[in-house]
Amino acid sequence: MANPKRRHSKSRRDKRRANWKISLPDLSFCPQCKEPKLPHHVCLHCGFYNGKEVIKIKEKKEKKEKGEKKQIKEKKQVKEKKQIKEKKEIKGKKEKKADKK
């Protein structure tokens, strides 16, 4: 069997591999809902293929908006701060009583 006479350098190896890349799939648009979909596939948004409903799509539950999540986080933070303040006040009162005695 034939063997290479010399080792190929890293740059030659990398040049060879430079053209081996991934391409994006071609997309078409669903005639029902106008969402992008793969050609010759059922639309994942509306469930139609070739003008006929092939699968029934369940409606997704509405997610909480980002604003609502932030409000919930802020409320938790406010509660935690209040609890910390109360603990500090209780410690301060105990220390004052101990100092008076």
Side-chain angles (χ1 to χ4, degrees), residues 16-45:
R16 184 180 69 246
R17 293 179 181 171
N19 294 315
W20 204 83
K21 52 188 166 260
I22 297 173
S23 61
L24 290 172
D26 294 329
L27 294 175
S28 60
F29 292 96
C30 174
Q32 300 290 327
C33 64
K34 309 297 187 241
E35 291 287 331
K37 69 173 190 75
L38 291 171
H40 307 289
H41 284 72
V42 175
C43 177
L44 299 175
H45 296 279

Side-chain angles (χ1 to χ4, degrees), residues 39-90:
H40 307 289
H41 284 72
V42 175
C43 177
L44 299 175
H45 296 279
C46 65
F48 276 76
Y49 180 75
N50 203 18
K52 299 173 188 169
E53 188 175 10
V54 181
I55 55 175
K56 291 186 178 180
I57 305 295
K58 294 180 181 177
E59 291 185 24
K60 294 181 181 179
K61 294 180 182 177
E62 291 183 25
K63 293 182 179 179
K64 292 183 180 178
E65 293 180 18
K66 289 181 181 178
E68 289 179 30
K69 287 182 181 179
K70 281 185 181 178
Q71 288 175 351
I72 292 169
K73 251 187 189 178
E74 288 173 358
K75 286 180 183 178
K76 284 182 183 178
Q77 289 175 348
V78 169
K79 283 183 182 179
E80 288 172 0
K81 286 180 182 178
K82 283 182 182 178
Q83 289 174 351
I84 293 170
K85 278 185 181 179
E86 288 172 0
K87 288 179 183 177
K88 285 182 181 178
E89 289 174 2
I90 292 170

Side-chain angles (χ1 to χ4, degrees), residues 88-99:
K88 285 182 181 178
E89 289 174 2
I90 292 170
K91 284 182 183 178
K93 289 178 182 178
K94 286 181 181 178
E95 288 174 0
K96 286 181 183 177
K97 287 181 182 178
D99 290 339

